[in-house]
Amino acid sequence: EAGVAQSPRYKIIEKRQSVAFWCNPISGHATLYWYQQILGQGPKLLIQFQNNGVVDDSQLPKDRFSAERLKGVDSTLKIQPAKLEDSAVYLCASSLDLQVSYGYTFGSGTRLTVV
Amino acid sequence: LAKTTQPISMDSYEGQEVNITCSHNNIATNDYITWYQQFPSQGPRFIIQGYKTKVTNEVASLFIPADRKSSTLSLPRVSLSDTAVYYCLVPVYNQGGKLIFGQGTELSVKP
């Protein structure tokens, strides 16, 4: 089966600019996650969707980050305006449902550099 | 916060067996223990999951004692390509189930 697709693969922007990342999960996967991974750390969960609804966005810095999954399939994560500390890899993952025993499938991520 | 504790790093040599132990003292009765592997420039990849005793697949074995407060990931005869970060995870149930990652164990396999 096709994996989780993410684009772009790399992005370099200046601070205060805006950026958007796109994710296409595995077909049929109801649950979608966005993680932020700073160099040398484990992934940090930003937001969790079940179909087109937000389940948990408690760790999302809502003053600058936003995410949507309008039709319950693809998702976009936006940062506006970006700060230097947003430099990280943004990972998208999907799973069949909220039951984590199904396991997650991760994309390769988008590496963001803010200069 | 992650519900697990594991060593930050380990070194090994090709051909050796590597055992990474993880502690999860507050694991709930219905929780599974899941391990993921992450190579540089890639997302984490699911490698094994278990509930009790022993689970084995083509990649690894997972040993879980009766009290389930710890688990050990065993990688037989590692090669250079097993150099990666290994994460031990127990799901967090708060507004839906989710995986909260800790720092993981960085395994370095040397020739």
Side-chain angles (χ1 to χ4, degrees):
Chain A
E1 66 181 357
V4 174
Q6 290 189 246
S7 67
R9 191 76 173 88
Y10 304 94
K11 191 74 176 179
I12 300 174
I13 62 172
E14 295 182 350
K15 59 184 179 183
R16 292 187 290 273
Q17 285 187 324
S18 62
V19 65
F21 313 126
W22 174 81
C23 171
N24 179 238
I26 290 177
S27 177
H29 278 195
T31 313
L32 184 146
Y33 315 81
W34 283 101
Y35 285 83
Q36 177 195 57
Q37 187 170 27
I38 293 172
L39 187 64
Q41 299 181 16
K44 172 188 173 184
L45 179 65
L46 294 176
I47 190 168
Q48 178 184 15
F49 290 94
Q50 177 73 357
N51 297 311
N52 61 351
V54 175
V55 176
D56 183 3
D57 62 357
S58 59
Q59 298 301 305
L60 187 74
K62 298 180 189 65
D63 58 334
R64 298 184 300 107
F65 286 63
S66 64
E68 60 184 13
R69 193 185 183 200
L70 291 175
K71 296 183 179 179
V73 181
D74 294 2
S75 178
T76 56
L77 176 69
K78 298 178 182 178
I79 308 175
Q80 181 179 10
K83 293 185 175 181
L84 296 177
E85 58 260 37
D86 298 332
S87 294
V89 175
Y90 290 84
L91 295 162
C92 178
S94 68
S95 64
L96 274 172
D97 208 300
L98 283 175
Q99 296 296 322
V100 295
S101 60
Y102 286 115
Y104 293 15
T105 300
F106 282 82
S108 295
T110 295
R111 181 176 297 277
L112 173 67
T113 302
V114 182
V115 298
Chain B
L1 291 176
K3 296 165 64 174
T4 61
T5 303
Q6 54 185 122
I8 292 176
S9 64
M10 293 182 69
D11 291 332
S12 183
Y13 291 92
E14 284 190 293
Q16 289 187 332
E17 178 184 71
V18 171
N19 295 308
I20 306 174
T21 297
C22 175
S23 68
H24 26 79
N25 292 318
N26 298 317
I27 192 168
T29 303
N30 296 329
D31 284 344
Y32 279 75
I33 299 139
T34 307
W35 286 78
Y36 280 73
Q37 174 191 55
Q38 186 176 25
F39 297 115
S41 301
Q42 294 185 25
R45 179 180 76 116
F46 170 84
I47 51 174
I48 199 166
Q49 176 177 272
Y51 182 76
K52 62 180 179 179
T53 63
K54 177 183 175 181
V55 178
T56 298
N57 62 21
E58 65 278 4
V59 177
S61 294
L62 180 59
F63 298 92
I64 305 167
D67 67 4
R68 302 198 334 115
K69 293 183 183 300
S70 67
S71 59
T72 299
L73 177 74
S74 180
L75 303 172
R77 297 180 298 281
V78 294
S79 64
L80 297 177
S81 62
D82 292 314
T83 294
V85 178
Y86 292 82
Y87 297 96
C88 169
L89 297 143
V90 173
V92 171
Y93 292 100
N94 176 19
Q95 297 174 286
K98 62 205 72 185
L99 294 179
I100 305 300
F101 287 77
Q103 194 166 355
T105 297
E106 185 173 9
L107 173 65
S108 177
V109 180
K110 303 174 183 177

